[in-house]
Amino acid sequence: MKVLIVGGGGREHAIACAVAKSPRVDRIYCAPGNAGIAEIAECVDIKVMEFDEIARFAKRNKIDLVIVGPDDPLAGGIVDVLQNAGLKVFGPEEKAAILEGSKAFSKDLMKKYDIPTAAYETFDDPKKALAYLEKAKMPIVLKADGLALGKGVLICNTLEEAKDGVKEIMLDKKFGTAGNRMVIEEYMTGREVSVLTFCDGKTIKVMSSAQDHKRAGDGDTGLNTGGMGTFSPSPFYTKKIDEYCRKYIFKPTVEAMAKEGRPFKGVIFFGLMLTEDGPKVLEYNARFGDPEAQVVLPRMKNDIIDVMEACVDGTLGKIKLEFEDNAAVCVMLASKGYPGKYDRGFVINGLEEFKDKDGYFVFHSGTKKTGKGVVTNGGRVLGVTAKGATLKEARENAYKATEWIDFENKYMRHDIGKAIDEA
Ligand code: AMP
Ligand code: GLY
């Protein structure tokens, strides 16, 4: 069969590698893809928000399954457009992708169905938000309602900071229309865990857990990024916690979406905080995490096409998800300056080191093929990933592999997976 993947980052590279392993797949296309994906797929120069172009390409090339990676096209309704063109698509329809696309929607859903999350209020009027803050306990968390490249969340320690935050989000529109509405919520403490799941509208199957490192600098300092590294599984996500989450968070979420007439088909990625009062939902995402996919998918034993088709067809109940009994660590190699200003276009050396090395992967996030060779083309450049029998071994392997790669302005965190030592 023929598969088209929509997206062009490390997550889509990890998805493409999983798809390439399926004996059912003859041909993979990716729009727009990147230099790494081009090694295993035919990259097509169409941007992820060009829905009609993607639909035309998929029809013309008789694509059997389209897989959508990123949040923006999902929230924008790409799945509906492709389905209306008669295509089979893995990913939630617009009315279900709102689970990630609107924080106010997701918080109201959790409140209505008693799904554990931080206490909150929603505001359309900045004056009311400011008045609410006067009586609120600090620290407090401000969230722009809509998608904001993962940057629309402000943690404020003082009333002054919080007031400035409301101004930035609702008046200065720092995150554009995403800030027309905002959520103000209780600050929670605990360990953060990412749990990715497959859903077919009624059934939910849980993948192996992971942990991300969102801040740019060592010791969780600096600005928030898309993610500087991950490990899987999380030793803090115990069997007991998993049982609790399945019963009180995962199943109720899928059932709630179905009851609301928004059956969710695709990946729900639960951002959880393991608080003293039990696990609570920080956020929902309607897609694989990036770089969570880079550590979870290489450990999945199932044929990803079987699982994705079961999600689309509503037969996920028949699938038994299986993961290898090992661990993986991904260290993101970024461009110095990210998530702020950075330069691009530097030649990357050492990529060939990963060829034919079992258990080592170099997932491309922001790269481009040029006459000079493969060059840097983004803030996050490469997700260097390695497996190991244990988390510690995987971490050692991943850091060893980061030394194989060289490019000007190469930047990484040196403490990815440090938490493993506290487990
Ligand atoms: P989100 O995009 O909602 O996951 O938020 C980004 C990051 O902000 C999360 O990964 C957490 O580290 C932090 N965060 C979000 N909500 C809260 C909260 N209620 N309490 C503490 N930290 C939070
Ligand atoms: N790594 C976090 C995310 O994909 O949202």
Side-chain angles (χ1 to χ4, degrees):
M1 61 191 272
K2 291 185 186 176
V3 173
L4 168 66
I5 299 166
V6 176
R11 161 184 51 213
E12 287 75 28
H13 193 183
I15 294 171
C17 287
V19 169
K21 278 202 296 196
S22 169
R24 299 178 55 198
V25 174
D26 310 303
R27 207 144 174 196
I28 311 173
Y29 298 90
C30 190
N34 62 36
I37 296 173
E39 304 256 312
I40 49 172
E42 190 176 314
C43 293
V44 229
D45 191 16
I46 308 175
K47 296 195 182 70
V48 301
M49 297 308 282
E50 294 172 347
F51 301 169
D52 293 332
E53 287 284 303
I54 293 172
R56 266 198 295 278
F57 174 86
K59 288 300 279 182
R60 202 168 53 233
N61 289 281
K62 299 194 167 51
I63 299 295
D64 299 293
L65 179 68
V66 185
I67 303 167
V68 183
D71 48 353
D72 280 329
L74 288 169
I78 188 174
V79 173
D80 308 61
V81 172
L82 298 180
Q83 277 175 355
N84 289 338
L87 293 154
K88 189 164 189 171
V89 196
F90 176 80
E93 291 174 3
E94 185 175 3
K95 65 175 187 259
I98 191 174
L99 193 59
E100 171 168 12
S102 166
K103 302 239 188 236
F105 171 86
S106 69
K107 295 296 292 190
D108 290 348
L109 185 88
M110 288 187 265
K111 187 189 257 177
K112 182 168 170 188
Y113 292 91
D114 256 331
I115 297 167
T117 188
Y120 75 102
E121 293 285 337
T122 305
F123 297 92
D124 294 305
D125 178 355
K127 278 202 215 84
K128 287 192 180 146
L130 290 168
Y132 174 83
L133 285 176
E134 295 287 348
K135 285 176 266 161
K137 210 171 100 204
M138 298 296 140
I140 198 147
V141 184
L142 311 184
K143 300 187 172 183
D145 177 49
L147 293 179
L149 294 169
K151 296 188 182 109
V153 175
L154 304 177
I155 304 206
C156 305
N157 288 307
T158 64
L159 179 60
E160 285 316 301
E161 265 178 63
K163 284 180 170 171
D164 286 346
V166 170
K167 192 168 157 290
E168 273 179 30
I169 293 175
M170 296 196 91
L171 297 171
D172 305 345
K173 295 277 189 268
K174 192 172 168 195
F175 309 108
T177 53
N180 287 350
R181 201 180 238 199
M182 67 182 281
V183 166
I184 301 186
E185 73 174 30
E186 168 205 4
Y187 176 76
M188 303 188 287
T189 52
R191 279 189 202 276
E192 281 187 57
V193 183
S194 302
V195 181
L196 278 55
T197 63
F198 286 105
C199 309
D200 71 354
K202 49 189 193 297
T203 303
I204 183 160
K205 297 273 165 150
V206 184
M207 294 181 236
S208 186
S209 61
Q211 268 180 244
D212 191 8
H213 299 66
K214 288 216 169 114
R215 302 291 204 94
D218 284 4
D220 289 329
T221 55
L223 293 173
N224 252 324
T225 70
M228 293 299 293
T230 36
F231 58 85
S232 171
S234 162
F236 306 103
Y237 187 77
T238 59
K239 196 158 172 19
K240 205 168 136 215
I241 291 177
D242 180 57
E243 275 164 15
Y244 177 94
C245 291
R246 284 172 195 257
K247 189 165 167 198
Y248 296 107
I249 297 177
F250 304 157
K251 201 160 167 278
T253 298
V254 182
E255 287 174 357
M257 288 298 280
K259 277 203 196 110
E260 295 292 313
R262 302 170 184 273
F264 193 104
K265 294 183 172 198
V267 170
I268 303 181
F269 154 7
F270 294 83
L272 303 174
M273 180 83 91
L274 308 182
T275 76
E276 278 190 351
D277 302 327
K280 294 190 183 180
V281 178
L282 276 170
E283 61 161 351
Y284 291 121
N285 297 296
R287 52 173 174 83
F288 285 99
D290 186 344
E292 280 87 348
Q294 289 91 316
V295 285
V296 172
L297 289 180
R299 300 183 47 240
M300 190 167 90
K301 290 194 198 168
N302 303 70
D303 183 326
I304 195 169
I305 299 294
D306 291 347
V307 180
M308 287 182 164
E309 277 195 335
C311 290
V312 181
D313 297 340
T315 55
L316 191 60
K318 292 190 192 140
I319 299 266
K320 183 168 188 284
L321 272 192
E322 288 186 292
F323 284 80
E324 292 170 3
D325 185 20
N326 58 9
V329 171
C330 169
V331 180
M332 196 52 78
L333 303 186
S335 301
K336 201 170 116 203
Y338 172 75
K341 251 177 70 113
Y342 56 85
D343 294 323
R344 48 181 101 201
F346 299 115
V347 174
I348 303 170
N349 295 307
L351 291 167
E352 65 288 348
E353 291 290 327
F354 288 81
K355 285 236 162 71
D356 304 320
K357 281 206 182 77
D358 221 24
Y360 291 86
F361 310 85
V362 60
F363 296 117
H364 291 226
S365 295
T367 65
K368 196 166 96 182
K369 203 163 183 171
T370 68
K372 294 187 286 185
V374 176
V375 301
T376 63
N377 190 40
R380 293 193 293 176
V381 179
L382 298 167
V384 170
T385 303
K387 290 189 200 174
T390 61
L391 281 162
K392 281 186 185 166
E393 197 182 296
R395 182 176 62 185
E396 236 176 79
N397 292 344
Y399 272 107
K400 182 178 70 190
T402 62
E403 290 168 19
W404 303 342
I405 298 284
D406 186 42
F407 57 84
E408 209 168 304
N409 288 359
K410 169 178 153 187
Y411 171 81
M412 65 181 168
R413 275 183 63 163
H414 293 86
D415 61 348
I416 301 301
K418 189 162 182 283
I420 296 163
D421 302 325
E422 296 154 26

